[in-house]
Amino acid sequence: MILTVTMNPAYDMTYRVERFERGQAHRVRSVEQRIGGKGINVTRVLNQLGKYARATGFSDHAFAAAAELELPVDFVHALPWVRRTVVISESDDGTATALWEPGARISNPHAAEQLATRVAGLLPDINGLVISGSLPGGVDPRLPADIARTATDAGVSTICDVDGEALRLAAEVPDVVLMPNAEELQRLTGRISTTPDEIVAAAYPLIERGVRAIITGKRGQGMVGVTAEGAWSATVPEKFSGNVTGAGDSAAAAVIAALSEKSAPDWPAILTDAVATAAAAIVIPVAGEIDRGLRTRVAPTVVVEKLAIPDRA
């Protein structure tokens, strides 16, 4: 089993319009609401990839009840209400505009301890863990790192896809896999992270300090992976437009699916699958879904290039 942790879940709202124009009234063609949040999206994609995944994190009672109708879940009831995210999807050209509400403040003073205990109790039964998304108010930014450290100490492959202080603290966890975007990596390292070589230069000191891998999206299409074994850039030649909201979550699902196999990781192959899976998510208007046929078609076209590691001699 693979476990995902979503501390700040959301109801994902998708409004479909012909064309969105700022300052204008719009007739909405259709509306879709579903349970969401980054870890929830990862769980959905893992299930589509044929992996059994379970979701935990914080929620209120109504959200947990709705989630149980769709996914295996085990939430800590600690939120007074669950936020919404809104995506305006244009049928004209597939462009998506996103609005994120802030999360509610945790109302249960023992919530962090309860979540950490819940994850620790499941570690003997899982072979992969993904901690992703923002933190609601009242949660110590150390919590993702603390949970990740417990998991990696138990030999469980663990991905942290968080930001800010939570990302800085997660970067101190030995053997963790980090999946920041380019802007998050730049804030973490204080170094420009635009080109593949710049990403490697920024990320490699973290690898030297014990991080297992850093996988980040390039500005444009594709990803860069930096590990102790080497660094690679993976690019898909075809351009895709649509809703990029769940692309990173889909890539995380592909990465943890591979790492959960327990065999020695083939990082170029993992990057190839991550890029193809992310592309298969962009063309779907809602987050947490992929076009499996497109993923199969795109994977053979992904171009992987080995990158140079900085010389520390």
Side-chain angles (χ1 to χ4, degrees):
M1 181 177 70
I2 296 172
L3 184 68
T4 68
V5 179
T6 306
M7 298 188 193
N8 200 14
Y11 292 103
D12 288 342
M13 308 288 299
T14 301
Y15 292 92
R16 293 185 177 87
V17 300
E18 180 66 27
R19 183 178 181 183
F20 179 72
E21 296 184 26
R22 184 170 176 263
Q24 300 297 314
H26 298 80
R27 187 172 297 279
V28 178
R29 288 188 164 189
S30 64
V31 180
E32 181 170 345
Q33 175 177 295
R34 50 164 43 191
I35 59 166
K38 291 181 69 65
I40 297 290
N41 295 337
V42 173
T43 303
R44 280 200 180 98
V45 175
L46 281 167
N47 289 336
Q48 292 172 73
L49 297 178
K51 297 289 186 178
Y52 177 67
R54 188 175 188 87
T56 189
F58 300 130
S59 76
D60 64 4
H61 289 277
F63 186 93
E68 287 173 357
L69 298 176
E70 180 184 350
L71 300 167
V73 299
D74 187 13
F75 284 106
V76 174
H77 297 164
L79 293 172
W81 50 269
V82 170
R83 67 193 176 116
R84 294 170 298 177
T85 64
V86 178
V87 171
I88 303 170
S89 178
E90 301 179 50
S91 57
D92 184 40
D93 61 1
T95 299
T97 302
L99 304 171
W100 309 136
E101 291 184 0
R105 189 173 184 84
I106 289 290
S107 59
N108 179 350
H110 306 293
E113 180 183 356
Q114 290 172 355
L115 180 59
T117 300
R118 191 160 300 186
V119 174
L122 290 170
L123 288 179
D125 301 317
I126 68 175
N127 53 3
L129 175 67
V130 179
I131 306 166
S132 55
S134 59
L135 306 182
V139 173
D140 192 313
R142 293 182 179 83
L143 183 58
D146 289 345
I147 293 175
R149 191 182 302 274
T150 301
T152 57
D153 285 348
V156 175
S157 292
T158 301
I159 292 174
C160 273
D161 182 5
V162 292
D163 191 14
E165 181 66 3
L167 176 59
R168 186 190 69 80
L169 293 166
E172 298 175 357
V173 177
D175 293 325
V176 72
V177 176
L178 303 179
M179 293 192 67
N181 61 34
E183 291 78 14
E184 292 165 348
L185 179 63
Q186 187 164 322
R187 288 194 294 269
L188 172 64
T189 63
R191 302 184 61 166
I192 295 174
S193 307
T194 302
T195 68
D197 287 337
E198 288 172 343
I199 291 172
V200 174
Y204 199 70
L206 298 173
I207 300 298
E208 292 181 309
R209 294 204 293 268
V211 171
R212 183 181 186 186
I214 295 178
I215 300 174
T216 186
K218 295 185 292 184
R219 289 186 173 95
Q221 290 198 310
M223 307 190 82
V224 173
V226 186
T227 75
E229 291 82 10
W232 298 267
S233 169
T235 305
V236 57
E238 188 175 350
K239 300 297 182 182
F240 299 94
S241 62
N243 182 13
V244 300
T245 304
D249 303 328
S250 298
V255 173
I256 199 63
L259 295 180
S260 69
E261 296 295 335
K262 294 295 186 181
S263 56
D266 181 344
W267 291 109
I270 291 173
L271 278 179
T272 295
D273 192 30
V275 168
T277 307
I282 292 174
V283 300
I284 303 295
V286 295
E289 301 286 342
I290 61 172
D291 183 329
R292 286 180 286 184
L294 185 144
R295 172 175 174 263
T296 300
R297 177 177 65 79
V298 165
T301 72
V302 175
V303 178
V304 178
E305 177 186 1
K306 188 171 179 61
L307 302 173
I309 293 294
D311 185 1
R312 300 295 179 184

